[in-house]
Amino acid sequence: MTNENRITTGGCLCGAVRYAVKGPLRDVVNCHCDMCQRLHGSFGPHSKALKVNITITNDDGLAWYKTSDIAQRGFCRKCGSSLFWEPFELDATGIIAGSLDKPTGLKTIGHIFVSEKSDFYEITDRLPQFEGSSNGKLADDYK
């Protein structure tokens, strides 16, 4: 099966939200912004896919919260799992990597918003780090 025909699935902790992604997923970027820290307790590990390739197969618990003028976040209103980061003006959606069913076949490729990183941990790998957004400079980062 080619990467374009691959189907990757995922969902929340309780199963009230399930989704499928057709085609490639971007490898994982760790976001260290203030919002991700509050949502995930630390940094947010995000994959990404084109919006047209994401199908919600069970939306019993899906809810959206507008976190800024540029994006909303999708989560399960039953169990609280964080699932998506969806910018309004872009054609791709961030997918919380921990919500993907295993095996994912993904690897971490970089860190963004490191200027907002909390002080209780260190980034010890040698992956690229960006003070803010990577602005599409990481591989397959759909703008």
Side-chain angles (χ1 to χ4, degrees):
M1 177 182 313
T2 66
N3 206 21
E4 284 72 35
N5 294 325
R6 176 182 174 190
I7 301 293
T8 305
T9 58
C12 68
L13 182 62
C14 73
V17 180
R18 295 289 302 162
Y19 62 87
V21 181
K22 181 180 181 192
L25 288 167
R26 186 201 61 200
D27 280 322
V28 177
V29 173
N30 292 332
C31 181
H32 301 269
C33 78
D34 290 333
M35 277 192 253
C36 280
Q37 289 176 56
R38 294 193 185 277
L39 283 166
H40 307 290
S42 187
F43 57 86
H46 296 260
S47 181
K48 192 183 274 189
L50 294 173
K51 289 179 181 179
V52 298
N53 291 340
I54 301 171
T55 302
I56 305 299
T57 57
N58 183 8
D59 67 354
D60 291 346
L62 185 60
W64 293 93
Y65 177 69
K66 182 180 175 186
T67 53
S68 70
D69 289 337
I70 65 165
Q72 63 183 354
R73 300 200 184 239
F75 65 97
C76 177
R77 67 177 166 263
K78 293 183 179 184
C79 69
S81 295
S82 182
L83 301 164
F84 306 109
W85 177 79
E86 186 172 80
F88 300 122
E89 300 295 324
L90 301 177
D91 62 355
T93 294
I95 299 169
I96 305 307
S99 72
L100 293 164
D101 295 335
K102 295 177 189 116
T104 67
L106 300 174
K107 65 182 186 293
T108 303
I109 59 171
H111 301 272
I112 59 174
F113 292 95
V114 297
S115 65
E116 298 177 31
K117 180 186 89 50
S118 189
D119 60 355
F120 65 84
Y121 67 94
E122 296 298 322
I123 300 171
T124 58
D125 59 43
R126 296 178 185 204
L127 297 172
Q129 295 184 27
F130 300 87
E131 292 295 306
S133 171
S134 64
N135 291 316
K137 293 180 182 169
L138 293 167
D140 299 320
D141 195 11
Y142 317 105
K143 299 181 176 139

